[in-house]
Amino acid sequence: MAEARTAGTPGRASGAARGVLAPLALAQFICSFAGSNMNVMINDISEDLDTTVQGVQVAITIFLLVMAALMIPGGKLTDRYGRRRCFLAGLTVYGVGALLSAAAPGLGVLILGNSVLEGVGTALLIPPVYILTTLLFTEVTSRARAFGAVMALGGIGAAAGPLLGGLITSAVSWRAAFVFQALVIALIIILSRRIEDPLPPDPTRPFDTAGAILSALGLILIVTGILAADNNIWLMAGLIVLGALVLLWFFRGVRAKERAGEEPLLSTTLFRNRTSDLGLVTQNIQWLLLMGTSFVVATYLQVVRGYDAIQTGVIFTAATLGLLASSLPAERLAKRWAQRTLIVAGFVVTTAGIVVLLALASGSPSAWAFAPGLLLIGLGLGLSLTPSVNVVQSSFPDGQQGEISGLSRSVSNLGSSLGTAIAGTILVAGLTAHAYGAAMITLAVLGLAGLAAALSLPRGPAPRLPASPSREPT
């Protein structure tokens, strides 16, 4: 039986823990769904709100960017206010944003509801998902099973988002897809009544407000710069350089606080674990590939080939099936294979899928030519997502789970933002078969970079760094 604990009691029967896992996994599902379901609504939203494909791309990217920028502060707040309280607050903000998006009269209100409020809500609710999963499941294989469930629903949400979004859009309207999100949020809130916080909140825990602002601003500037690539190359370069300087300012402030004996937003000890550092790189590229492929293929099918939302969504079923097939048996795979082996194999299969997608889809008039490549991408990502998260979370003690969860989710969502921004910018600049090919080649190269990081992972278990005295759980 999986070794689990609830409310800080080691080894307590896993029934309560399994009950808590349902709302946590559903929360990851709906946030991932929100990041991809709009890809099949591009034509409907642009026509209804009298905007452009680029306008919808900006709304999607801002949503992903807000998540990435605020995930580190969101993780840090869980130490001060408690994981359950932050989780419920995030669900509430998200639900309000979904309802506002459903009633949006124009692109501006859609960005406020979907991109801003849903993004802020996600940044508050996602870190507790990973903290609670890590704290409740203490043994490697049981934790792999728990993260397998969370990542499976997260991957399914991202991969099935186009299908579900297409079905809802075709049957009712794109606005109904946001009502669906609000209903799922309500269900999660009801299920969350069983959640108990394993660690008590510490209201006296300091919060680095200046650091939170600087880290968020730096990330926003860098991704905004990438989005500006198709309009002004000098603006792009200026924003990226400015963003890098702001992040440098942030890290200088972190080191200054640590030298002064104060607690910064993000401890530099998080970056002194080679296994965790490489695991974060793999997480970033995994989500970059998933969201980049989703945006590129969905946009190409609709805008260039003229498929409607439901036809586009059906094609993405292949990726969903692949994710299910490889992510659900995560516990059995973790017992048989090392985490490093699974991550390496996942990148090999994913990159092969992108190559197949490029080779078959570019030469065939049938949309079904996309299915084999999407299936391989789903299989590869489902195989590697769970072990990547597991090696990172397992590298740190309980007292640093808030920080590493925030950093981990920020890195993953930054990957999602970069996937939509980089591949999407290349595609939207031309919206032709050649632009599609260029975007997919870019993703394939990034997949090889992820494979290189995976091959660099140590073969042994991740060393756990001791928490500093100020971060030990009470």
Side-chain angles (χ1 to χ4, degrees):
M1 179 179 291
E3 180 185 354
R5 67 184 181 188
T6 55
T9 305
R12 182 173 168 178
S14 58
R18 286 196 296 267
V20 167
L21 193 58
L24 299 181
L26 271 177
Q28 179 63 77
F29 165 82
I30 200 62
C31 292
S32 299
F33 171 86
S36 68
N37 82 112
M38 280 181 65
N39 292 337
V40 297
M41 306 176 192
I42 291 173
N43 285 340
D44 296 86
I45 293 176
S46 58
E47 291 174 5
D48 192 14
L49 300 185
D50 193 25
T51 185
T52 63
V53 172
Q54 289 89 340
V56 180
Q57 182 203 10
V58 168
I60 295 171
T61 304
I62 291 176
F63 166 71
L64 298 171
L65 179 56
V66 169
M67 285 195 297
L70 298 182
M71 206 63 79
I72 294 174
K76 194 71 172 180
L77 287 173
T78 62
D79 294 325
R80 185 169 185 171
Y81 297 108
R83 286 131 294 271
R84 183 178 186 274
R85 186 178 299 173
C86 287
F87 183 66
L88 292 175
L91 289 170
T92 302
V93 174
Y94 189 107
V96 172
L99 292 175
L100 184 61
S101 299
L107 182 63
V109 176
L110 180 66
I111 289 176
L112 174 61
N114 173 250
S115 307
V116 178
L117 290 180
E118 288 191 25
V120 171
T122 302
L124 285 172
L125 70 90
I126 286 298
V129 169
Y130 289 82
I131 299 169
L132 290 168
T133 302
T134 302
L135 296 178
L136 290 171
F137 296 87
T138 59
E139 192 265 328
V140 173
T141 54
S142 67
R143 186 175 290 170
R145 180 175 63 180
F147 275 127
V150 173
M151 298 311 297
L153 281 184
I156 291 168
L163 174 60
L164 292 177
L167 289 171
I168 295 171
T169 300
S170 299
V172 188
S173 78
W174 64 268
R175 297 179 186 275
F178 289 102
V179 176
F180 168 75
Q181 292 181 45
L183 292 174
V184 174
I185 290 294
L187 174 62
I188 296 171
I189 291 175
I190 293 172
L191 295 176
S192 298
R193 291 179 299 176
R194 299 183 62 179
I195 293 179
E196 297 179 18
D197 212 329
L199 297 175
D202 182 4
T204 64
R205 193 77 174 262
F207 182 77
D208 184 5
T209 304
I213 294 173
L214 287 175
S215 64
L217 179 60
L219 292 172
I220 289 171
L221 287 170
I222 288 176
V223 178
T224 303
I226 295 172
L227 286 173
D230 60 335
N231 295 320
N232 189 318
I233 193 69
W234 293 109
L235 176 61
M236 177 198 75
L239 289 172
I240 291 176
V241 170
L242 183 58
L245 291 174
V246 171
L247 289 178
L248 178 61
W249 185 8
F250 163 68
F251 281 109
R252 286 175 61 89
V254 167
R255 287 196 296 269
K257 282 184 175 291
E258 287 184 328
R259 285 195 297 268
E262 301 175 5
E263 184 176 343
L265 180 71
L266 199 64
S267 171
T268 57
T269 61
L270 298 179
F271 301 98
R272 296 173 187 167
N273 185 309
R274 182 168 179 264
T275 300
S276 174
D277 291 343
L278 290 169
L280 289 171
V281 172
T282 62
Q283 283 184 34
N284 178 273
I285 297 178
Q286 286 160 359
W287 284 98
L288 186 154
L289 296 177
L290 178 58
M291 299 307 296
T293 301
S294 176
F295 182 84
V296 169
V297 174
T299 303
Y300 180 72
L301 287 175
Q302 292 175 92
V303 179
V304 178
R305 295 204 172 181
Y307 286 87
D308 61 24
I310 191 168
Q311 290 172 319
T312 302
V314 168
I315 300 302
F316 275 89
T317 305
T320 306
L321 293 175
L323 276 160
L324 275 171
S326 57
S327 58
L328 289 180
E331 183 181 18
R332 294 196 300 273
L333 292 172
K335 290 179 179 178
R336 185 171 182 180
W337 303 99
Q339 302 289 281
R340 175 185 181 275
T341 302
L342 295 174
I343 298 171
V344 169
F347 272 108
V348 170
V349 176
T350 300
T351 305
I354 295 174
V355 173
V356 170
L357 201 60
L358 179 63
L360 295 180
S362 60
S364 172
S366 171
W368 288 106
F370 290 81
L374 290 172
L375 176 64
L376 286 174
I377 290 171
L379 285 169
L381 291 174
L383 193 64
S384 59
L385 281 169
T386 297
S388 286
V389 171
N390 209 354
V391 298
V392 171
Q393 299 290 145
S394 300
S395 297
F396 298 91
D398 292 353
Q400 287 186 290
Q401 285 301 313
E403 288 178 292
I404 190 58
S405 294
L407 176 61
S408 174
R409 295 304 89 208
S410 179
V411 166
S412 296
N413 283 288
L414 181 60
S416 298
S417 301
L418 292 174
T420 304
I422 296 173
T425 296
I426 294 171
L427 178 68
V428 171
L431 284 176
T432 63
H434 294 297
Y436 166 80
M440 296 308 296
I441 289 172
T442 301
L443 290 173
V445 171
L446 291 168
L448 292 175
L451 175 60
L455 289 169
S456 300
L457 282 165
R459 294 181 180 274
R464 291 181 66 137
L465 295 179
S468 61
S470 63
R471 291 182 173 82
E472 287 293 344
T474 55

